[in-house]
């Protein structure tokens, strides 16, 4: 059992959307499996870990509560778990702390930073009723993509304007976020996809949107666009995955959930649980600044797989998502890692 101490005043409906994901599962969902491993305690003396109850940017604004919890953790020499949400996340320099975040730049993150997967619902429950099955290997690799990808001067100006807004908000402390260089992700996606589309050795099935979720507003149109998104992913062995505003890709986890093979353009990403997972065995990772053309790397990877290995890779990716990257198994693995540290 790993015993957690936190300020329970923030474990209420008011802060429901900002609560540390593990605490959310323990308090709001009452996940029995996690409750068998984690226990909230009323006295800090009994705790193994002190947990900031909500997103760091939210909790930090509650100065008295934040300062009090920090003081108690220091006084009792307890490690601190801190959750920083949003596309950017925030690097803190609090001694004896561990940060949980969605992304960030691997070269800038310390060993006490844990990347959280994007926790998504199982696409087979809603959008793919046929259930999982591995695709047979074809001599020509099939690559899918449905999403926001657009080039052109107007698009560049729009994305740069959004970046300037982020910088202004950050400068005036409207948002608490790490500094980040301008990265026009939609334009980058369009560039990579166009390079692949003209290669006759690849079977490309791309549907490019000019807006996120095709600009869908109603529940019906959002469901329709999601169905098209997952159908494309299901019917193609590979999906191109590239970061968005933050340095991580939700599409990467969606591809794994479907049981297909991500082609990840590596922009100095840190992937979850990299001490446990050999990510090179689950996806094709292409360095953004590499000199070998993307299409050439895809063909080499595809041709290196036997028919059996090709199908096994898809099954392995589906199993990885089910057994490691969903909320419950992810925090079970975190439990195992921290219990090992205590021994």
């Amino acid at each position: 059992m790993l015993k957690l101490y936190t300020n329970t005043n923030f474990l209420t409906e008011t802060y429901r959307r900002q609560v540390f994901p593990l605490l959310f599962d323990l308090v709001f969902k009452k996940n029995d499996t996690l409750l068998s491993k984690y226990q909230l305690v009323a006295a800090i003396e009994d705790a193994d870990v002190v947990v900031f109850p909500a997103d760091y940017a939210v909790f930090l604004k509650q100065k008295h509560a934040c300062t009090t919890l920090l003081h108690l953790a220091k006084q009792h020499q307890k490690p601190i778990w801190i959750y920083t949400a949003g596309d950017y996340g925030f690097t803190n320099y609090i001694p004896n702390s561990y940060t949980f975040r969605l992304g960030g730049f691997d070269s800038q993150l310390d060993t006490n930073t844990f990347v959280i997967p994007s926790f998504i619902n199982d696409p087979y429950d809603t959008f793919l009723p046929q259930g999982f099955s591995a695709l047979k290997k074809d001599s020509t690799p099939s690559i899918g993509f449905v999403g926001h990808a657009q080039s052109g001067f107007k698009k560049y100006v729009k994305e740069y304007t959004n970046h300037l807004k982020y910088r202004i908000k950050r400068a005036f402390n409207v948002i608490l976020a790490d500094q980040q260089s301008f990265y026009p992700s939609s334009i980058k996606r369009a560039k990579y996809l166009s390079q692949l589309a003209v290669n006759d050795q690849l079977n490309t099935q791309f549907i490019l949107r000019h807006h996120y979720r095709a600009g869908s507003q109603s529940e019906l149109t959002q469901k329709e666009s999601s169905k098209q998104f997952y159908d494309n992913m299901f019917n193609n062995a590979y999906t191109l995955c590239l970061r968005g505003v933050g340095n991580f890709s939700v599409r990467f986890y969606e591809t794994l959930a479907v049981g297909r093979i991500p082609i990840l353009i590596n922009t100095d990403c840190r992937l979850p649980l990299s001490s446990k997972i050999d990510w090179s065995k689950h996806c094709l990772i292409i360095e953004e600044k590499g000199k070998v053309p993307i299409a050439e790397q895809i063909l080499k990877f595809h041709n290196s797989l036997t028919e059996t290995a090709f199908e096994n890779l898809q099954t392995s990716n589906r199993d990885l998502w089910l057994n490691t990257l969903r909320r419950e198994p992810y925090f079970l693995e975190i439990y195992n890692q921290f219990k090992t540290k205590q021994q």
Side-chain angles (χ1 to χ4, degrees):
M1 186 72 72
L2 203 60
K3 297 178 180 179
L4 312 178
Y5 178 83
T6 190
N7 185 329
T8 56
N9 292 331
F10 290 83
L11 304 183
T12 63
E13 287 296 328
T14 302
Y15 295 97
R16 184 184 178 96
R17 296 176 64 87
Q18 291 88 29
V19 167
F20 193 122
L22 172 61
L23 296 180
F24 182 90
D25 284 1
L26 296 178
V27 176
F28 291 95
K29 285 194 170 183
K30 300 190 183 301
N31 183 295
D32 289 336
T33 302
L34 293 176
L35 284 167
S36 71
K37 300 295 184 181
Y38 296 96
Q39 178 187 0
L40 284 175
V41 295
I44 193 169
E45 293 85 356
D46 299 329
D48 299 307
V49 178
V50 170
V51 184
F52 275 23
D55 172 19
Y56 185 57
V58 173
F59 190 55
L60 193 63
K61 292 179 181 179
Q62 308 299 319
K63 293 183 179 179
H64 177 71
C66 183
T67 302
T68 300
L69 196 59
L70 277 173
H71 175 73
L72 285 172
K74 183 178 181 180
Q75 179 184 351
H76 294 275
Q77 297 182 329
K78 304 292 185 180
I80 307 170
W81 287 4
I82 297 172
Y83 168 57
T84 173
D87 287 332
Y88 301 104
F90 183 74
T91 300
N92 72 81
Y93 297 96
I94 298 173
N96 201 24
S97 68
Y98 296 83
T99 300
F100 293 80
R101 59 191 293 169
L102 286 168
F105 297 91
D106 185 42
S107 61
Q108 300 175 19
L109 303 178
D110 63 20
T111 56
N112 285 359
T113 299
F114 290 83
V115 168
I116 299 178
S118 296
F119 295 127
I120 60 172
N121 295 324
D122 191 339
Y124 287 101
D125 288 343
T126 306
F127 301 107
L128 300 171
Q130 66 269 45
F132 169 73
S133 62
L135 298 176
K136 301 293 184 181
K137 185 181 179 184
D138 195 287
S139 58
T140 303
S142 61
I143 307 170
F145 181 91
V146 176
H148 190 193
Q150 183 183 2
S151 57
F153 179 72
K154 287 185 178 180
K155 185 61 178 176
Y156 184 92
V157 170
K158 183 177 180 179
E159 293 209 7
Y160 190 71
T161 300
N162 289 335
H163 177 72
L164 288 178
K165 290 178 182 177
Y166 143 77
R167 290 180 61 180
I168 292 170
K169 289 179 180 179
R170 183 176 177 275
F172 287 93
N173 294 319
V174 176
I175 59 172
L176 187 66
D178 282 349
Q179 184 175 354
Q180 184 170 295
S181 301
F182 174 55
Y183 190 89
S185 55
S186 176
I187 294 171
K188 294 274 190 178
R189 288 192 203 103
K191 183 189 78 170
Y192 292 127
L193 292 168
S194 64
Q195 291 174 359
L196 299 178
V198 297
N199 192 303
D200 57 10
Q201 293 181 282
L202 304 174
N203 175 15
T204 56
Q205 303 292 327
F206 300 155
I207 301 174
L208 308 187
R209 308 292 197 196
H210 289 178
H211 303 281
Y212 177 68
R213 293 183 67 93
S216 300
Q217 299 295 327
S218 70
E219 183 178 346
L220 177 61
T221 56
Q222 286 185 6
K223 188 172 183 178
E224 289 174 348
S225 67
S226 294
K227 181 71 168 67
Q228 187 177 45
F229 174 90
Y230 280 116
D231 281 343
N232 178 275
M233 194 170 281
F234 180 84
N235 291 322
N236 290 283
Y238 301 93
T239 293
L240 184 77
C241 303
L242 177 68
R243 61 165 286 189
V245 174
N247 193 34
F248 64 94
S249 168
V250 178
R251 192 188 312 271
F252 177 81
Y253 302 104
E254 292 166 328
T255 306
L256 294 170
V258 175
R260 298 298 181 249
I261 308 166
I263 300 171
L264 177 66
I265 306 300
N266 186 18
T267 51
D268 193 20
C269 300
R270 176 174 294 187
L271 297 176
L273 305 174
S274 55
S275 63
K276 173 184 172 143
I277 302 170
D278 183 351
W279 283 105
S280 66
K281 294 182 179 179
H282 292 278
C283 56
L284 172 58
I285 300 175
I286 295 177
E287 298 300 323
E288 185 180 39
K289 297 181 180 179
K291 296 181 179 179
V292 180
I294 292 178
E296 185 177 326
Q297 294 185 62
I298 294 172
L299 288 165
K300 181 179 179 180
F301 178 86
H302 184 73
N303 292 333
S304 72
L305 298 171
T306 65
E307 292 182 3
T308 300
F310 181 75
E311 294 182 38
N312 287 345
L313 176 54
Q314 297 171 67
T315 302
S316 175
N317 283 352
R318 171 67 176 165
D319 290 343
L320 176 69
W321 183 79
L322 283 171
N323 300 323
T324 307
L325 298 177
R326 291 181 301 116
R327 292 171 72 104
E328 180 183 294
Y330 175 81
F331 284 114
L332 289 177
E333 178 57 31
I334 294 299
Y335 166 85
N336 291 332
Q337 291 194 19
F338 274 86
K339 288 300 289 185
T340 300
K341 286 179 183 289
Q342 291 181 336
Q343 295 174 355

